[in-house]
Amino acid sequence: MITDSVHGANLVDVVYGEVPAPGDPAEDFVEATKIRRDAMSWDAPGVRMLQTTPEMHPIIARAGQRHVSRARTELPAPMKVETSVADALDRRCSADGFADEELTLTELATLLRLAWEPRPGTGPASGTQPRRATPSAGALFPLELWVVVRRVEALEPGLFHVEMPDAGNASLTRISEVDHAALARAALQENMIENAAVTIVVSMMPWRSRFKYGHRAVRFALMEAGHLCQTLLLTASAMDLAARPLGGFCDDEVNGTLGFCGVDEVPLYLVPVGRGQ
């Protein structure tokens, strides 16, 4: 409904400040990622290739970072969560702050495994693409999960990569130390990052699905990040943990702090998690 205070004729000024000039990045992104029936073979070039090249199937099943030369911490089995979906939805809200307490390794494992572990019988060990609770276009999973640990039982603080190629194969690989103060400044909500026990980082590697879906792959990856983040948030809610999704941060500062290039791997979400105040 248009009110007297914001007339329809003024909406362009309110939204844009001025009429977008040709080459506006937001409009170009929407246009470039459209699917058109008469151009599908160009817009999604890899669909036909996958249909006609069986040799590609085991390759895409192995998609996902692995750090085999580094020490790994095996994640324990997840604890049983009894909370109903309705109760988890009812309790879900973005945390205003976190208590100065640690998480147990089992709690962190439960949060990560319920949200990201492949279903039994899927993944490279089974010769198939993984299937997870989070849907992915073509099951290509162009996302990666990272954990910035501050206070977790039995884990040294730092940046860890989450590796779950198959069901029952879940571990954390420590990659580096992290300047927590720099990450907190980059997040633009310093108290959230500084006080949380962990910060889960959802990053995008768009090239994993771009070969199949062209420019549309980026739109898919953004959707998938939302799916995954909501799964993490609802799981945290069901576990009675506090969490807050952060999507507005200084990208180059986050990239520099975590060691991402910002092109082949792009951070999309920072999700601080801990015990509520």
Side-chain angles (χ1 to χ4, degrees):
M1 179 178 179
I2 298 175
T3 66
D4 292 337
S5 59
V6 181
H7 191 275
N10 298 326
L11 283 177
V12 169
D13 293 333
V14 171
V15 174
Y16 295 105
E18 59 184 15
V19 176
D24 176 71
E27 293 191 357
D28 284 353
F29 172 78
V30 173
E31 193 67 25
T33 58
K34 288 180 178 177
I35 292 177
R36 298 174 176 83
R37 187 175 300 277
D38 58 355
M40 289 180 68
S41 60
W42 291 276
D43 292 336
V47 174
R48 178 63 177 168
M49 179 178 66
L50 286 176
Q51 290 174 340
T52 58
T53 313
E55 294 81 6
M56 283 290 295
H57 298 173
I59 295 175
I60 61 176
R62 293 196 300 271
Q65 290 190 44
R66 302 298 304 275
H67 301 271
V68 295
S69 63
R70 296 177 181 266
R72 298 189 302 163
T73 299
E74 299 295 331
L75 289 175
M79 59 189 186
K80 192 170 182 60
V81 179
E82 302 287 355
T83 309
S84 69
V85 173
D87 285 342
L89 286 166
D90 185 59
R91 287 155 48 178
R92 218 258 5 125
C93 65
S94 295
D96 292 325
F98 300 95
D100 186 14
E101 299 178 25
E102 70 174 14
L103 296 181
T104 67
L105 185 59
T106 298
E107 286 175 319
L108 179 58
T110 300
L111 178 62
L112 297 174
R113 294 183 74 155
L114 292 183
W116 195 238
E117 187 170 3
R119 294 291 176 258
T122 72
S126 302
T128 69
Q129 293 169 258
R131 298 291 192 274
R132 295 182 164 99
T134 298
S136 176
L140 294 173
F141 293 102
L143 304 180
E144 289 287 345
L145 270 184
W146 303 79
V147 183
V148 178
V149 171
R150 289 210 65 175
R151 292 185 298 274
V152 177
E153 169 197 60
L155 287 181
E156 182 182 358
L159 176 65
F160 290 77
H161 180 240
V162 180
E163 298 188 12
M164 298 186 190
D166 307 283
N169 184 2
S171 63
L172 294 176
T173 302
R174 191 175 187 277
I175 303 300
S176 65
E177 296 182 355
V178 172
D179 184 338
H180 294 283
L183 182 63
R185 287 193 300 272
L188 303 178
Q189 296 194 41
E190 294 189 33
N191 63 317
M192 290 291 141
I193 301 296
E194 287 179 343
N195 297 329
V198 301
T199 297
I200 297 173
V201 182
V202 180
S203 67
M204 166 182 71
M205 305 190 82
W207 54 268
R208 276 195 204 147
S209 51
R210 186 166 177 172
F211 82 92
K212 181 176 181 180
Y213 296 115
H215 295 306
R216 188 78 171 198
V218 176
R219 195 192 294 200
F220 283 149
L222 295 175
M223 294 177 191
E224 292 169 31
H227 301 330
L228 175 54
C229 188
Q230 181 70 332
T231 302
L232 288 165
L233 295 173
L234 288 177
T235 303
S237 174
M239 296 173 61
D240 201 25
L241 295 176
R244 185 181 186 93
L246 304 178
F249 45 79
C250 295
D251 295 77
D252 289 344
E253 294 178 26
V254 170
N255 289 330
T257 302
L258 300 182
F260 297 163
C261 72
V263 176
D264 295 324
E265 182 152 23
V266 181
L268 298 178
Y269 265 123
L270 305 178
V271 188
V273 180
R275 303 201 191 283
Q277 291 179 318

